[in-house]
Amino acid sequence: MFARINTAGLLGIEGYLVSIEADVRNGIPCFNLTGMLSAETKEAQSRVWNAIKNSNVRVEPRRVTVNFSPASVRKEGTAYDLPVAAAVLCGYGVLDHEELKHTAFLGETGLDGSLKPVRGMLPLSFAVRKSGCTRLVVPLENVREAQLVEGLDVIGCRSISEVIEVLKHPDSIKCKPHGTVRREEGICEKEKCKTSQFHSTFCETESLESISCKTANYEKYDFKNVHGQRFLKRAAEIAASGMHNILMTGPAGTGKTMIAKCIPSILPELTREEDIEISKVYSICGMLPADRPLLSKRPFRSPHHTVTAAAFAGGGIRAMPGELSLASGGVLFLDELNKFSDSVIANLFLPLEEHRTVINRLNGSCTYPADFLLSAAMNNCPCGFYPDRNRCTCTPPQIRNHLGRVSKPLLERIDICAEAAPLSYEDIAGKRDRSPEEPSEVIRRRVEEVHRIQAERFKNSSIRFNSRMSVEDIEKYCILGSEETDYIRNVFSERYLSGRTYHKILKTARTIADMDRSERISVRHLAEAAGLRSLEDKLSSGLR
């Protein structure tokens, strides 16, 4: 008997429809899988056959052929186990595939017939819904994640036996509107979920809006705990307001890392669409929180400088997302920037310009989002004490070599370069009568207002922030008067600016003007923006 079952596969961050075709007929007993399969996918023939036999389903040995369509795309992962099992059961007549035309299956099977959770359920569920299916059968642990897709009836089961029972007797389990699962033999309340024999629907259903509104606790990294360094805090606020990349330098222990970790606390809360897109990446990597189906906070990723290029940009046999994609929607912090290898830094250029990363493999390429705010930090010298010559023992060539490891092309892609000043005792210990530092919540409200101004400005455009403006946008929204033109002309000539650096200054000045609620960019705005680039001259020359 021939049967066809719906499922989905992953290609990058997006899913696509896959049809599992099973043909069961008399002949020499065998179990063949076809359709360009990876090793772990092809091993399903052993897992599925034993899972079916151990699920109290009586099937006679026959000639079984299972095809994955489209056969031209490589199938990877173990999420195909359950749909293969469903197709084989339909081929044997245990299930009716005609009644499953609008049902999809996803999940891994154990040899005992149990169902195990799989990665990437969120993008896979969206692909299932987009294909026209209205019902999805998944392992119980994946239910909350799959239920985020509107218009999709999700059924969660613990084993193949439960799947057969639910599909053959759909009226045996009824889900009441308030979320309690009731079965003819008993009641499963949300507080006592384990009392029911079957767990075919998730008992406690949360709406996507209620999940998204729960924000992360940034109490540990709050700007109210950062004493002194007003210049760096001002630079961080400008960076967050216009999503500008920022580099902080200075002596060791002056608060550069702490300020970088505080930046997510002043970024606006995630929108529903942003939360879903970020969670898709984390779902593929299996890094979503165990107690919730969405990340619900802006990521902060801080890879060590020994990270490999594959772990940084993404890669591996399955072309998994890397740190660049895991930081999308949040902050990517590179501490000790000049210690990262050249191969890692080279992977930054495309994301900083196009906000995406492309992983090329023999069987095709995968595109992942990489839209983040880059925050970087480094010391002024190898020992970390410069410019305190009473403690710094580095020679000028050592300092020049230390700073010179940050290339000019990378510096030109960073909008703000701020230098931290050494801290005094009063900055660290403070005084009792000193006014408290401004908390992140207050700064975030100002940042949100600047984001609102940019949203209104670019409402008919594909960009959202000043840092994303093209040359055409700069000419439209960064109009300068005669005085401002003379000022920036002098800066351009005296500092030998490149075209990219010139445009970075204008973009930053546009953000500073927005923070002042000014439609017009003034000389003061240009001066502050240019001042936030003065460190570039020192770094590019490797001198102090």
Side-chain angles (χ1 to χ4, degrees):
M1 182 184 296
F2 174 82
R4 181 183 289 111
I5 291 298
N6 298 313
T7 185
L10 283 174
L11 190 60
I13 196 175
E14 301 297 334
Y16 64 97
L17 181 66
V18 176
S19 295
I20 305 294
E21 302 169 335
D23 183 76
V24 180
R25 63 180 60 201
N26 294 327
I28 299 176
C30 65
F31 197 128
N32 294 322
L33 300 182
T34 62
M36 194 182 286
L37 311 177
S38 64
E40 68 270 22
T41 304
K42 200 163 188 177
E43 289 170 352
Q45 61 187 12
S46 299
R47 290 192 298 269
V48 169
W49 185 251
N50 286 278
I52 292 176
K53 292 178 64 177
N54 291 325
S55 298
N56 297 322
V57 180
R58 187 171 182 177
V59 290
E60 298 178 356
R62 293 185 180 178
R63 186 176 185 85
V64 180
T65 303
V66 179
N67 180 57
F68 293 64
S69 179
S72 59
V73 181
R74 183 177 174 82
K75 321 300 185 306
E76 297 180 331
T78 58
Y80 298 105
D81 288 7
L82 180 55
V84 169
V88 172
L89 290 172
C90 289
Y92 273 97
V94 178
L95 297 175
D96 186 359
H97 77 98
E98 290 294 335
E99 296 180 357
L100 302 178
K101 287 184 177 180
H102 301 291
T103 302
F105 297 81
L106 288 165
E108 179 182 339
T109 62
L111 297 182
D112 59 349
S114 62
L115 299 185
K116 301 179 181 180
V118 294
R119 297 180 178 182
M121 185 56 68
L122 186 58
L124 288 171
S125 300
F126 274 101
V128 167
R129 182 66 186 93
K130 187 177 180 180
S131 69
C133 293
T134 57
R135 187 167 59 172
L136 176 62
V137 181
V138 298
L140 188 64
E141 293 84 350
N142 288 129
V143 171
R144 296 186 71 187
E145 198 174 335
Q147 280 184 329
L148 296 175
V149 182
E150 297 178 356
L152 195 61
D153 181 19
V154 180
I155 299 176
C157 298
R158 294 177 300 181
S159 65
I160 292 179
S161 298
E162 291 188 11
V163 173
I164 297 173
E165 179 69 18
V166 171
L167 296 180
K168 292 182 70 173
H169 306 287
D171 295 333
S172 63
I173 295 179
K174 300 177 181 179
C175 182
K176 300 180 72 66
H178 61 270
T180 301
V181 177
R182 185 180 298 271
R183 189 176 182 269
E184 292 178 354
E185 288 81 354
I187 297 176
C188 171
E189 299 178 358
K190 60 185 179 182
E191 293 86 0
K192 302 176 182 179
C193 188
K194 293 184 180 180
T195 62
S196 174
Q197 180 179 353
F198 293 107
H199 300 244
S200 43
T201 50
F202 183 60
C203 302
E204 181 66 20
T205 303
E206 288 183 280
S207 66
L208 185 56
E209 291 79 3
S210 66
I211 294 173
S212 299
C213 72
K214 298 178 182 179
T215 57
N217 183 8
Y218 292 112
E219 185 68 25
K220 183 178 180 181
Y221 297 109
D222 193 295
F223 273 102
K224 69 180 180 182
N225 300 321
V226 181
H227 301 293
Q229 297 299 0
R230 296 189 179 276
F231 178 69
L232 278 190
K233 289 193 283 188
R234 167 70 175 178
E237 182 178 350
I238 296 172
S241 297
M243 295 301 287
H244 299 284
N245 301 318
I246 179 173
L247 168 63
M248 296 174 285
T249 68
T254 52
K256 302 185 295 295
T257 300
M258 186 173 185
I259 288 177
K261 291 181 177 180
C262 289
I263 292 178
S265 68
I266 63 175
L267 291 174
E269 295 180 358
L270 288 171
T271 64
R272 171 175 171 172
E273 292 75 15
E274 286 177 325
D275 203 358
I276 290 176
E277 289 303 309
I278 293 171
S279 298
K280 282 183 179 180
V281 177
Y282 279 75
S283 176
I284 294 171
C285 296
M287 297 175 61
L288 282 176
D291 59 339
R292 59 191 309 104
L294 288 178
L295 192 63
S296 299
K297 66 176 182 179
R298 294 197 178 273
F300 179 86
R301 303 295 299 181
S302 180
H304 193 260
H305 60 79
T306 58
V307 66
T308 64
F312 188 70
I317 298 176
R318 298 184 60 184
M320 297 291 287
E323 293 292 339
L324 295 175
S325 300
L326 292 171
S328 188
V331 177
L332 175 65
F333 178 52
L334 303 183
D335 200 5
E336 300 294 345
L337 176 65
N338 58 336
K339 292 186 179 181
F340 284 82
S341 65
D342 293 340
S343 59
V344 169
I345 294 300
N347 286 312
L348 270 175
F349 293 156
L350 177 64
L352 291 180
E353 295 290 340
E354 301 185 12
H355 316 296
R356 62 183 178 89
T357 182
V358 180
I359 304 173
N360 295 308
R361 290 294 180 267
L362 180 63
N363 295 316
S365 62
C366 296
T367 301
Y368 290 110
D371 190 0
F372 51 80
L373 188 158
L374 174 64
S375 175
M378 56 182 289
N379 297 327
N380 289 330
C381 68
C383 73
F385 293 120
Y386 189 85
D388 185 357
R389 273 306 188 181
N390 293 325
R391 304 175 67 186
C392 177
T393 59
C394 300
T395 63
Q398 288 177 318
I399 298 175
R400 185 180 298 109
N401 180 65
H402 179 83
L403 298 174
R405 294 194 61 183
V406 181
S407 66
K408 180 73 172 179
L410 178 59
L411 286 175
E412 288 185 342
R413 287 169 170 82
I414 296 176
D415 307 56
I416 297 172
C417 299
E419 188 168 12
L423 293 173
S424 64
Y425 174 80
E426 286 71 20
D427 290 328
I428 300 174
K431 299 178 181 178
R432 292 184 178 181
D433 58 349
R434 182 181 63 186
S435 59
E437 298 291 341
E438 199 172 30
S440 292
E441 183 180 358
V442 175
I443 302 174
R444 183 172 64 247
R445 287 199 290 266
R446 295 199 298 265
V447 172
E448 288 174 345
E449 178 60 22
V450 178
H451 280 224
R452 186 196 63 77
I453 294 173
Q454 294 172 85
E456 180 65 23
R457 174 182 298 133
F458 304 123
K459 62 182 178 180
N460 296 322
S461 173
S462 60
I463 63 175
R464 294 183 298 164
F465 307 111
N466 292 330
S467 61
R468 311 293 197 256
M469 287 191 292
S470 63
V471 175
E472 182 179 358
D473 295 322
I474 292 174
E475 294 175 353
K476 182 178 180 180
Y477 299 113
C478 299
I479 301 175
L480 304 179
S482 58
E483 184 179 359
E484 291 76 23
T485 301
D486 291 339
Y487 175 82
I488 197 64
R489 181 188 294 114
N490 292 334
V491 172
F492 187 91
S493 301
E494 293 175 1
R495 294 170 56 179
Y496 302 100
L497 300 181
S498 65
R500 181 181 282 116
T501 303
Y502 167 73
H503 290 139
K504 293 289 187 183
I505 291 177
L506 291 182
K507 293 176 185 179
T508 306
R510 178 67 271 173
T511 298
I512 297 173
D514 290 341
M515 295 172 68
D516 288 345
R517 309 295 189 273
S518 174
E519 290 289 338
R520 179 174 171 269
I521 298 177
S522 66
V523 172
R524 179 171 61 85
H525 302 143
L526 289 171
E528 184 174 7
L532 291 171
R533 297 291 307 183
S534 60
L535 182 61
E536 179 189 8
D537 300 334
K538 299 177 182 179
L539 289 176
S540 60
S541 63
L543 297 172
R544 281 291 187 272

